[in-house]
Amino acid sequence: MKAVLAKLRYRSNLSSCKKPMAREVRIMAYKSTIIAAALTLGVALPGAAQAFPDKDITFIIPYSAGGGFDRTVRAIAPYMEKYLPKKVNVVPKNVSGAGGRKGISQLFRSKPDGHTIAVFNIPGMAIPPLLGEKVNYDLGKVSWVSRLARGTYILMVGSKSKIKSLADVKKLNRPMKITTTGFGSTGYTASAVASTVMGIPFKMLTGYKGSKQFILAAIRGDGDAVYTLVTTVRKYHQAGDVRVLATFEEKSSFPGVPTAREAGFPELEGMSLERLVGGPPGVPVDRIKILETAMLKAMADPEFKAKTKKRPFLPAGSEETAKRVDEVLKFYLKYKSALGKKG
């Protein structure tokens, strides 16, 4: 009898254990299904977000050291580190060559895990494909993180020039000689498009290494005029070396100088140089959000803002950055014929 009761108790215990065990198996199967579905759809799970970043972040600068893009990245990198959820380094890396294309091509070959980002020159990176040149990247597929800064253009002449206004440019009765960098560069592109919009015949004097060289050339009188950025020309203007004829700012920061809109060319307000940050195609959305948040907090940091007061940043998030890229591409596509002019 005792043996029978013991057997019954064993069976009862076994039966009571089966239900919780079966429930645990079902829960584990359910979790496995959710994880598999998330991975298939490319949706990052909370644990994955919390693990990022798990190593240093490489910040590609597609130009040589010492230039504006290099200074911009090196200024923001240590502050970005400060606002990342995990303590890692943000390491600037110069990958210059082919007008910036080499560095962006390297970005596109990198693993889309958020640990490699780059600074983009827009429209600089957009011009080659617009002109039909083969490139190893697609701006429409970039995982945009944020905007760092925006540069607005002006038209200037040397202070000793006989050209005092836009009206004087029209009275030259010959093409305006513009000192700039080589064909296809951002400076060349801006000069060609702006001159075309304003109906100014032009001749490009190229071969200058950078903005400093072509501004000094105009001051010397090698050429008539220069299209360059407000931030670049400011010190020359304050020193009395140049005269600004028009600014493409929404509101002129140069007393007595008309904006493009006031001069009758409102479309030129849309012409700017954007310094943007992006990753390769396919970076998970949650990781982009972490990078975006760190970048925006870095640019809002009081110490950072004080250090960059003379060259202020213009923050924008991922969505606004993507929208701005579309706007810039549409603007330059509208004047595609001007881009190919070798004046």
Side-chain angles (χ1 to χ4, degrees), residues 51-58 86 88-89 111 113 115-116:
F52 177 79
D54 57 10
K55 61 181 179 179
D56 289 349
I57 292 173
T58 300
K86 295 181 73 177
V88 298
N89 298 310
K111 189 176 179 180
D113 59 3
H115 290 98
T116 305

Side-chain angles (χ1 to χ4, degrees), residues 110-164:
S110 67
K111 189 176 179 180
D113 59 3
H115 290 98
T116 305
I117 56 177
V119 62
F120 285 74
N121 170 350
I122 302 296
M125 304 302 181
I127 302 308
L130 284 177
L131 292 175
E133 297 178 23
K134 185 179 179 180
V135 295
N136 296 317
Y137 58 84
D138 183 345
L139 294 177
K141 296 181 179 179
V142 175
S143 300
W144 295 110
V145 174
S146 69
R147 177 176 63 204
L148 294 176
R150 171 187 291 172
T152 309
Y153 285 92
I154 55 91
L155 172 61
M156 53 136 284
V157 296
S159 58
K160 295 179 181 179
S161 171
K162 293 181 180 180
I163 300 172
K164 310 292 183 183

Side-chain angles (χ1 to χ4, degrees), residues 251-278:
K251 183 178 180 181
S252 178
S253 61
F254 300 91
V257 175
T259 64
R261 182 175 292 277
E262 290 168 343
F265 311 105
E267 57 269 52
L268 289 178
E269 280 187 2
M271 196 174 80
S272 61
L273 186 149
E274 308 279 342
R275 290 185 168 99
L276 312 178
V277 179

Side-chain angles (χ1 to χ4, degrees), residues 153-295:
Y153 285 92
I154 55 91
L155 172 61
M156 53 136 284
V157 296
S159 58
K160 295 179 181 179
S161 171
K162 293 181 180 180
I163 300 172
K164 310 292 183 183
S165 65
L166 283 176
D168 289 340
V169 173
K170 298 289 181 74
K171 295 175 184 177
L172 285 175
N173 295 319
R174 61 169 174 77
M176 180 175 70
K177 297 176 183 178
I178 303 170
T179 54
T180 186
T181 44
F183 176 73
S185 68
T186 307
Y188 190 108
T189 299
S191 301
V193 171
S195 295
T196 299
V197 171
M198 293 192 286
I200 300 172
F202 61 91
K203 179 178 177 59
M204 298 291 195
L205 303 181
T206 62
Y208 297 96
K209 186 178 180 181
S211 58
K212 179 180 179 179
Q213 287 73 25
F214 63 65
I215 289 173
L216 290 176
I219 292 172
R220 288 194 305 266
D222 296 355
D224 296 314
V226 162
Y227 290 93
T228 191
L229 300 175
V230 170
T231 51
T232 302
V233 81
R234 186 78 68 189
K235 64 180 180 181
Y236 298 101
H237 183 261
Q238 291 173 343
D241 295 326
V242 305
R243 179 183 301 118
V244 178
L245 303 182
T247 176
F248 302 165
E249 301 166 286
E250 289 184 11
K251 183 178 180 181
S252 178
S253 61
F254 300 91
V257 175
T259 64
R261 182 175 292 277
E262 290 168 343
F265 311 105
E267 57 269 52
L268 289 178
E269 280 187 2
M271 196 174 80
S272 61
L273 186 149
E274 308 279 342
R275 290 185 168 99
L276 312 178
V277 179
V283 178
V285 175
D286 63 328
R287 296 192 174 196
I288 288 295
K289 190 64 181 177
I290 289 171
L291 294 169
E292 175 193 29
T293 300
M295 194 68 79

